[in-house]
Amino acid sequence: SSLGLVRHLWLLTLVTALQNCLNKQQLLAAIRQMQQFLKGQETRFAEGVRVMKNRLITLQNSVTKAAPDPQSVSCPALDAPMDGRRFGTKYFVDHEIHFTCEPGFQLTGSSTRVCQANGSWTGEAPRCKVISKCLSNPCQNGGTCVDGVNQYKCTCPQGWTGENCQYQSQTDVNECEVYKLEGAPRLCMHACVNVPGSYRCSCPSGYKLLGDGKSCEDIDECGLSQHNCSRGMTCINTGGGFQCVSAECPRPSGNASYVKTSPFQCERNPCPMDSRLCHHAPKSISFHYLPLPSNLITPTPLFRMATASAPGRPGPDSLRFGIIGGNNRGHFVMQRSDRQTGELILVQSLKGPQTIEVEVDMSEYLDRTFQAKHVSKITVFVSPYEF
Ligand SMILES: [Ca+2]
């Protein structure tokens, strides 16, 4: 080694100096030579150390810069976009995650993202956007498109109709007005409602629209038990409503008194033989309830009254009919329709809503002698409508 060589040279010089009894000058020269030799050795040594240091730094740099261990790096977790799905669950370097959207949605951003060595994902976060059906401008003729999920709706300007406003609506054809004219067929039984391009009929309350779309039919509240008549009252169905009625027999008067023989019939109790007044009081009183529409065409028969003599007994040989009471008597006449029957006839049309009572009687005669009188009390419920 160089140190061994130095030591060797040093010894050699010393021995030579001693042997040759070198003078001071010669010895100093030898020492200088040794010093220069050592200095050279020192320089070379330092150079070797420097090279070694540099090599170590280079190695260190190259190790630092080298690719990191792939298994030790991962990217942050990724979620599926709203209304979409995610495929792939590994978040290590070089792994891929794929994204799709539900039907009706469109993916924006990256459908595939790769985990990079630096721990971040490539691309952008995916989003699922509703596919706009309005983008293709489906609404024609100036219609406005409104987007919905998987569908759209056109709001058409006036004069246009149809899903895409493609049809010209029949502007200014108001069927209700057209058919109101004299002589035109009646469109609706009650009210006509004009709607764009068409019309519909409506019925007043208490009526229902029939399947033909134009006729109104009264709702039978009594039959359907939709009434609120208290116990002891009888429900009478009327056009557009119902009435709760209760037939009351007359109070006893003189010797005449009555007993109810059915909900709508009163019979007079037997009279004392000598009571003429009692014999002339009605032998029977019956109650009748007639629902009628408004504005009936007149004359029209409303009610018939006939004798009802007991079988086997001789009946009356003549009858006399008359109107004996009630309001609005001018609306009715009572006339004989055959030998046995009298008819109450409406001669002036009635306009509802109103309730009219009329009382008719039938007197029986035998050999021109008064036998008995029967009274019918008729209550007419006139509907507000002509149906
Ligand atoms: Ca009714």
Side-chain angles (χ1 to χ4, degrees):
S1 72
S2 49
L3 275 179
L5 182 66
V6 169
R7 198 157 51 231
H8 182 74
L9 281 171
W10 170 252
L11 283 172
L12 188 68
T13 308
L14 202 63
V15 169
T16 308
L18 288 173
Q19 279 175 347
N20 299 340
C21 279
L22 294 178
N23 58 24
K24 189 180 172 184
Q25 289 300 320
Q26 285 172 318
L27 194 56
L28 283 172
I31 289 170
R32 264 198 307 276
Q33 268 188 341
M34 283 305 294
Q35 283 174 330
Q36 276 178 348
F37 174 77
L38 281 177
K39 198 172 180 182
Q41 287 293 314
E42 194 179 35
T43 305
R44 271 196 298 278
F45 185 76
E47 177 69 16
V49 167
R50 197 179 58 81
V51 168
M52 285 293 282
K53 271 185 167 176
N54 283 346
R55 283 188 182 160
L56 273 174
I57 286 169
T58 306
L59 184 64
Q60 189 185 26
N61 283 348
S62 64
V63 167
T64 307
K65 278 180 188 167
D69 186 351
Q71 289 304 314
S72 65
V73 174
S74 67
C75 292
L78 291 176
D79 288 325
M82 195 184 282
D83 301 309
R85 298 175 69 186
R86 182 200 64 196
F87 299 90
T89 50
K90 297 221 164 69
Y91 301 137
F92 295 120
V93 171
D94 288 333
H95 278 88
E96 292 181 352
I97 303 289
H98 303 275
F99 302 96
T100 61
C101 287
E102 303 292 343
F105 291 84
Q106 198 173 27
L107 190 136
T108 58
S110 304
S111 61
T112 298
R113 302 186 76 183
V114 184
C115 181
Q116 301 178 109
N118 64 6
S120 70
W121 294 98
T122 61
E124 294 169 30
R127 285 228 174 96
C128 290
K129 264 174 59 182
V130 174
I131 294 172
S132 170
K133 299 274 182 185
C134 286
L135 280 179
S136 58
N137 294 325
C139 304
Q140 302 165 29
N141 299 307
T144 310
C145 190
V146 181
D147 253 319
V149 175
N150 262 336
Q151 62 177 18
Y152 66 91
K153 195 169 171 24
C154 294
T155 307
C156 302
Q158 203 163 19
W160 296 94
T161 184
E163 197 185 343
N164 295 326
C165 307
Q166 71 272 45
Y167 302 125
Q168 195 155 17
S169 54
Q170 290 170 310
T171 45
D172 297 334
V173 174
N174 184 336
E175 292 90 346
C176 298
E177 288 298 320
V178 169
Y179 285 88
K180 235 183 211 175
L181 301 174
E182 208 67 36
R186 195 149 180 191
L187 221 47
C188 295
M189 194 181 245
H190 182 57
C192 180
V193 182
N194 188 49
V195 296
S198 184
Y199 72 95
R200 62 180 174 81
C201 298
S202 75
C203 293
S205 84
Y207 294 85
K208 62 180 180 210
L209 190 66
L210 287 184
D212 64 2
K214 61 181 277 187
S215 306
C216 298
E217 188 182 69
D218 172 59
I219 296 166
D220 182 0
E221 293 85 354
C222 303
L224 296 168
S225 295
Q226 291 173 358
H227 62 86
N228 54 1
C229 297
S230 48
R231 277 172 71 96
M233 306 284 273
T234 304
C235 179
I236 302 292
N237 183 44
T238 67
F242 63 94
Q243 296 281 337
C244 303
V245 302
S246 167
E248 300 292 338
C249 295
R251 293 178 168 196
S253 165
N255 290 314
S257 63
Y258 292 86
V259 63
K260 214 167 185 178
T261 53
S262 78
F264 299 117
Q265 181 92 15
C266 301
E267 300 280 351
R268 192 190 64 207
N269 290 316
C271 289
M273 283 302 284
D274 56 350
S275 177
R276 188 180 135 83
L277 215 61
C278 179
H279 280 286
H280 275 83
K283 191 169 187 294
S284 75
I285 301 169
S286 59
F287 298 84
H288 308 269
Y289 304 93
L290 289 181
L292 280 191
S294 274
N295 301 330
L296 263 188
I297 293 167
T298 54
T300 188
L302 292 184
F303 180 75
R304 293 180 126 195
M305 202 173 183
T307 182
S309 45
R313 283 176 61 183
D317 57 14
S318 74
L319 301 168
R320 196 176 293 165
F321 297 96
I323 296 175
I324 53 168
N327 49 2
N328 288 288
R329 286 162 66 176
H331 287 93
F332 307 95
V333 295
M334 190 72 184
Q335 69 180 41
R336 183 186 299 272
S337 62
D338 62 38
R339 232 179 74 84
Q340 301 280 318
T341 315
E343 260 183 347
L344 180 69
I345 294 168
L346 180 72
V347 290
Q348 280 180 42
S349 61
L350 300 169
K351 192 155 174 53
Q354 65 170 320
T355 300
I356 291 174
E357 284 165 18
V358 60
E359 239 173 274
V360 296
D361 75 343
M362 175 181 71
S363 298
E364 299 170 339
Y365 291 84
L366 182 63
D367 292 335
R368 297 192 179 183
T369 309
F370 173 81
Q371 300 287 298
K373 185 164 83 171
H374 303 275
V375 168
S376 289
K377 292 173 180 262
I378 301 145
T379 307
V380 179
F381 299 114
V382 187
S383 145
Y385 312 102
E386 296 181 7
F387 45 85

